[in-house]
PDB file of all heavy atoms in Angstrom:
ATOM      1  N   ARG A1574      20.227  -8.773  11.616  1.00  0.00           N
ATOM      2  CA  ARG A1574      21.630  -8.827  11.210  1.00  0.00           C
ATOM      3  C   ARG A1574      22.383  -9.649  12.238  1.00  0.00           C
ATOM      4  O   ARG A1574      22.481  -9.278  13.411  1.00  0.00           O
ATOM      5  CB  ARG A1574      22.160  -7.386  11.165  1.00  0.00           C
ATOM      6  CG  ARG A1574      23.598  -7.253  10.754  1.00  0.00           C
ATOM      7  CD  ARG A1574      24.383  -6.516  11.825  1.00  0.00           C
ATOM      8  NE  ARG A1574      25.747  -6.242  11.430  1.00  0.00           N
ATOM      9  CZ  ARG A1574      26.807  -6.919  11.928  1.00  0.00           C
ATOM     10  NH1 ARG A1574      26.649  -7.911  12.791  1.00  0.00           N
ATOM     11  NH2 ARG A1574      28.018  -6.577  11.563  1.00  0.00           N
ATOM     12  N   CYS A1575      22.905 -10.787  11.812  1.00  0.00           N
ATOM     13  CA  CYS A1575      23.607 -11.682  12.729  1.00  0.00           C
ATOM     14  C   CYS A1575      24.812 -10.972  13.345  1.00  0.00           C
ATOM     15  O   CYS A1575      25.556 -10.262  12.666  1.00  0.00           O
ATOM     16  CB  CYS A1575      24.053 -12.923  11.965  1.00  0.00           C
ATOM     17  SG  CYS A1575      24.912 -14.119  13.020  1.00  0.00           S
ATOM     18  N   ALA A1576      24.998 -11.195  14.670  1.00  0.00           N
ATOM     19  CA  ALA A1576      26.109 -10.553  15.372  1.00  0.00           C
ATOM     20  C   ALA A1576      27.451 -11.154  14.992  1.00  0.00           C
ATOM     21  O   ALA A1576      28.494 -10.579  15.291  1.00  0.00           O
ATOM     22  CB  ALA A1576      25.896 -10.664  16.883  1.00  0.00           C
ATOM     23  N   HIS A1577      27.443 -12.291  14.337  1.00  0.00           N
ATOM     24  CA  HIS A1577      28.714 -12.887  13.900  1.00  0.00           C
ATOM     25  C   HIS A1577      29.269 -12.115  12.711  1.00  0.00           C
ATOM     26  O   HIS A1577      30.071 -11.217  12.870  1.00  0.00           O
ATOM     27  CB  HIS A1577      28.529 -14.384  13.573  1.00  0.00           C
ATOM     28  CG  HIS A1577      29.787 -15.051  13.092  1.00  0.00           C
ATOM     29  ND1 HIS A1577      29.763 -16.046  12.145  1.00  0.00           N
ATOM     30  CD2 HIS A1577      31.084 -14.862  13.419  1.00  0.00           C
ATOM     31  CE1 HIS A1577      31.013 -16.449  11.910  1.00  0.00           C
ATOM     32  NE2 HIS A1577      31.825 -15.748  12.679  1.00  0.00           N
ATOM     33  N   ARG A1578      28.801 -12.390  11.533  1.00  0.00           N
ATOM     34  CA  ARG A1578      29.416 -11.736  10.389  1.00  0.00           C
ATOM     35  C   ARG A1578      28.425 -10.902   9.589  1.00  0.00           C
ATOM     36  O   ARG A1578      28.730 -10.477   8.473  1.00  0.00           O
ATOM     37  CB  ARG A1578      30.092 -12.783   9.499  1.00  0.00           C
ATOM     38  CG  ARG A1578      31.473 -12.327   9.027  1.00  0.00           C
ATOM     39  CD  ARG A1578      32.172 -13.362   8.185  1.00  0.00           C
ATOM     40  NE  ARG A1578      32.781 -14.421   8.966  1.00  0.00           N
ATOM     41  CZ  ARG A1578      33.270 -15.541   8.412  1.00  0.00           C
ATOM     42  NH1 ARG A1578      33.193 -15.734   7.116  1.00  0.00           N
ATOM     43  NH2 ARG A1578      33.813 -16.455   9.168  1.00  0.00           N
ATOM     44  N   GLY A1579      27.246 -10.712  10.137  1.00  0.00           N
ATOM     45  CA  GLY A1579      26.342  -9.738   9.521  1.00  0.00           C
ATOM     46  C   GLY A1579      25.235 -10.294   8.657  1.00  0.00           C
ATOM     47  O   GLY A1579      24.440  -9.541   8.104  1.00  0.00           O
ATOM     48  N   THR A1580      25.129 -11.604   8.532  1.00  0.00           N
ATOM     49  CA  THR A1580      24.100 -12.196   7.677  1.00  0.00           C
ATOM     50  C   THR A1580      22.694 -11.767   8.105  1.00  0.00           C
ATOM     51  O   THR A1580      22.398 -11.709   9.304  1.00  0.00           O
ATOM     52  CB  THR A1580      24.188 -13.734   7.767  1.00  0.00           C
ATOM     53  OG1 THR A1580      25.525 -14.114   7.462  1.00  0.00           O
ATOM     54  CG2 THR A1580      23.228 -14.417   6.818  1.00  0.00           C
ATOM     55  N   LEU A1582      19.222 -12.521   9.108  1.00  0.00           N
ATOM     56  CA  LEU A1582      18.755 -13.758   9.737  1.00  0.00           C
ATOM     57  C   LEU A1582      17.481 -14.296   9.104  1.00  0.00           C
ATOM     58  O   LEU A1582      17.399 -15.455   8.723  1.00  0.00           O
ATOM     59  CB  LEU A1582      18.472 -13.514  11.220  1.00  0.00           C
ATOM     60  CG  LEU A1582      19.648 -13.512  12.177  1.00  0.00           C
ATOM     61  CD1 LEU A1582      19.133 -13.235  13.566  1.00  0.00           C
ATOM     62  CD2 LEU A1582      20.361 -14.858  12.134  1.00  0.00           C
ATOM     63  N   VAL A1594      17.927 -19.231  13.792  1.00  0.00           N
ATOM     64  CA  VAL A1594      19.218 -19.869  13.564  1.00  0.00           C
ATOM     65  C   VAL A1594      19.825 -19.257  12.310  1.00  0.00           C
ATOM     66  O   VAL A1594      19.226 -19.304  11.233  1.00  0.00           O
ATOM     67  CB  VAL A1594      19.057 -21.389  13.382  1.00  0.00           C
ATOM     68  CG1 VAL A1594      20.423 -22.040  13.174  1.00  0.00           C
ATOM     69  CG2 VAL A1594      18.329 -21.992  14.575  1.00  0.00           C
ATOM     70  N   CYS A1595      21.006 -18.671  12.461  1.00  0.00           N
ATOM     71  CA  CYS A1595      21.643 -18.037  11.309  1.00  0.00           C
ATOM     72  C   CYS A1595      22.014 -19.114  10.286  1.00  0.00           C
ATOM     73  O   CYS A1595      22.641 -20.126  10.634  1.00  0.00           O
ATOM     74  CB  CYS A1595      22.889 -17.271  11.730  1.00  0.00           C
ATOM     75  SG  CYS A1595      23.693 -16.462  10.325  1.00  0.00           S
ATOM     76  N   PRO A1596      21.636 -18.925   9.015  1.00  0.00           N
ATOM     77  CA  PRO A1596      21.907 -19.966   8.021  1.00  0.00           C
ATOM     78  C   PRO A1596      23.388 -20.095   7.681  1.00  0.00           C
ATOM     79  O   PRO A1596      23.787 -21.088   7.064  1.00  0.00           O
ATOM     80  CB  PRO A1596      21.106 -19.488   6.800  1.00  0.00           C
ATOM     81  CG  PRO A1596      20.964 -18.021   6.978  1.00  0.00           C
ATOM     82  CD  PRO A1596      20.901 -17.782   8.455  1.00  0.00           C
ATOM     83  N   TYR A1597      24.217 -19.108   8.096  1.00  0.00           N
ATOM     84  CA  TYR A1597      25.621 -19.131   7.651  1.00  0.00           C
ATOM     85  C   TYR A1597      26.470 -20.058   8.529  1.00  0.00           C
ATOM     86  O   TYR A1597      27.084 -21.012   8.030  1.00  0.00           O
ATOM     87  CB  TYR A1597      26.155 -17.694   7.664  1.00  0.00           C
ATOM     88  CG  TYR A1597      27.333 -17.433   6.753  1.00  0.00           C
ATOM     89  CD1 TYR A1597      27.799 -16.123   6.592  1.00  0.00           C
ATOM     90  CD2 TYR A1597      27.966 -18.452   6.039  1.00  0.00           C
ATOM     91  CE1 TYR A1597      28.874 -15.844   5.749  1.00  0.00           C
ATOM     92  CE2 TYR A1597      29.042 -18.178   5.204  1.00  0.00           C
ATOM     93  CZ  TYR A1597      29.493 -16.878   5.051  1.00  0.00           C
ATOM     94  OH  TYR A1597      30.552 -16.599   4.239  1.00  0.00           O
ATOM     95  N   HIS A1598      26.499 -19.806   9.885  1.00  0.00           N
ATOM     96  CA  HIS A1598      27.315 -20.672  10.750  1.00  0.00           C
ATOM     97  C   HIS A1598      26.555 -21.147  11.983  1.00  0.00           C
ATOM     98  O   HIS A1598      27.160 -21.598  12.940  1.00  0.00           O
ATOM     99  CB  HIS A1598      28.585 -19.955  11.225  1.00  0.00           C
ATOM    100  CG  HIS A1598      29.316 -19.221  10.153  1.00  0.00           C
ATOM    101  ND1 HIS A1598      29.127 -17.871   9.908  1.00  0.00           N
ATOM    102  CD2 HIS A1598      30.222 -19.642   9.231  1.00  0.00           C
ATOM    103  CE1 HIS A1598      29.888 -17.480   8.896  1.00  0.00           C
ATOM    104  NE2 HIS A1598      30.558 -18.529   8.461  1.00  0.00           N
ATOM    105  N   GLY A1599      25.248 -20.953  11.965  1.00  0.00           N
ATOM    106  CA  GLY A1599      24.432 -21.588  12.981  1.00  0.00           C
ATOM    107  C   GLY A1599      24.318 -20.888  14.326  1.00  0.00           C
ATOM    108  O   GLY A1599      23.828 -21.500  15.281  1.00  0.00           O
ATOM    109  N   TRP A1600      24.759 -19.651  14.474  1.00  0.00           N
ATOM    110  CA  TRP A1600      24.497 -18.939  15.731  1.00  0.00           C
ATOM    111  C   TRP A1600      22.982 -18.858  15.924  1.00  0.00           C
ATOM    112  O   TRP A1600      22.238 -18.659  14.969  1.00  0.00           O
ATOM    113  CB  TRP A1600      25.098 -17.526  15.708  1.00  0.00           C
ATOM    114  CG  TRP A1600      26.606 -17.485  15.804  1.00  0.00           C
ATOM    115  CD1 TRP A1600      27.479 -18.455  15.412  1.00  0.00           C
ATOM    116  CD2 TRP A1600      27.393 -16.406  16.324  1.00  0.00           C
ATOM    117  NE1 TRP A1600      28.772 -18.049  15.649  1.00  0.00           N
ATOM    118  CE2 TRP A1600      28.746 -16.795  16.210  1.00  0.00           C
ATOM    119  CE3 TRP A1600      27.097 -15.163  16.866  1.00  0.00           C
ATOM    120  CZ2 TRP A1600      29.794 -15.962  16.622  1.00  0.00           C
ATOM    121  CZ3 TRP A1600      28.135 -14.329  17.275  1.00  0.00           C
ATOM    122  CH2 TRP A1600      29.483 -14.742  17.164  1.00  0.00           C
ATOM    123  N   THR A1601      22.558 -18.986  17.170  1.00  0.00           N
ATOM    124  CA  THR A1601      21.127 -19.137  17.441  1.00  0.00           C
ATOM    125  C   THR A1601      20.655 -18.093  18.448  1.00  0.00           C
ATOM    126  O   THR A1601      21.298 -17.895  19.489  1.00  0.00           O
ATOM    127  CB  THR A1601      20.858 -20.560  17.974  1.00  0.00           C
ATOM    128  OG1 THR A1601      21.296 -21.502  16.989  1.00  0.00           O
ATOM    129  CG2 THR A1601      19.388 -20.783  18.262  1.00  0.00           C
ATOM    130  N   TYR A1602      19.532 -17.450  18.125  1.00  0.00           N
ATOM    131  CA  TYR A1602      19.019 -16.358  18.939  1.00  0.00           C
ATOM    132  C   TYR A1602      17.574 -16.637  19.346  1.00  0.00           C
ATOM    133  O   TYR A1602      16.815 -17.276  18.606  1.00  0.00           O
ATOM    134  CB  TYR A1602      19.038 -15.037  18.155  1.00  0.00           C
ATOM    135  CG  TYR A1602      20.390 -14.661  17.612  1.00  0.00           C
ATOM    136  CD1 TYR A1602      20.830 -15.152  16.370  1.00  0.00           C
ATOM    137  CD2 TYR A1602      21.246 -13.824  18.320  1.00  0.00           C
ATOM    138  CE1 TYR A1602      22.073 -14.815  15.863  1.00  0.00           C
ATOM    139  CE2 TYR A1602      22.501 -13.479  17.814  1.00  0.00           C
ATOM    140  CZ  TYR A1602      22.905 -13.975  16.587  1.00  0.00           C
ATOM    141  OH  TYR A1602      24.129 -13.635  16.087  1.00  0.00           O
ATOM    142  N   PRO A1612      27.540 -22.948  17.643  1.00  0.00           N
ATOM    143  CA  PRO A1612      27.917 -24.352  17.438  1.00  0.00           C
ATOM    144  C   PRO A1612      29.416 -24.569  17.688  1.00  0.00           C
ATOM    145  O   PRO A1612      30.224 -23.667  17.432  1.00  0.00           O
ATOM    146  CB  PRO A1612      27.566 -24.607  15.962  1.00  0.00           C
ATOM    147  CG  PRO A1612      26.621 -23.515  15.593  1.00  0.00           C
ATOM    148  CD  PRO A1612      26.986 -22.328  16.422  1.00  0.00           C
TER     149      PRO A1612
HETATM  150  S1  FES C1107      27.167 -14.866  10.075  1.00  0.00           S
HETATM  151 FE1  FES C1107      25.621 -15.648  11.344  1.00  0.00          FE
HETATM  152  S2  FES C1107      26.525 -17.364  12.221  1.00  0.00           S
HETATM  153 FE2  FES C1107      28.097 -16.577  10.987  1.00  0.00          FE
END
Side-chain angles (χ1 to χ4, degrees):
Chain A
R1574 180 237 186 254
C1575 181
H1577 179 215
R1578 224 178 281 169
T1580 306
L1582 280 179
V1594 181
C1595 180
Y1597 203 173
H1598 314 95
W1600 288 27
T1601 301
Y1602 304 86

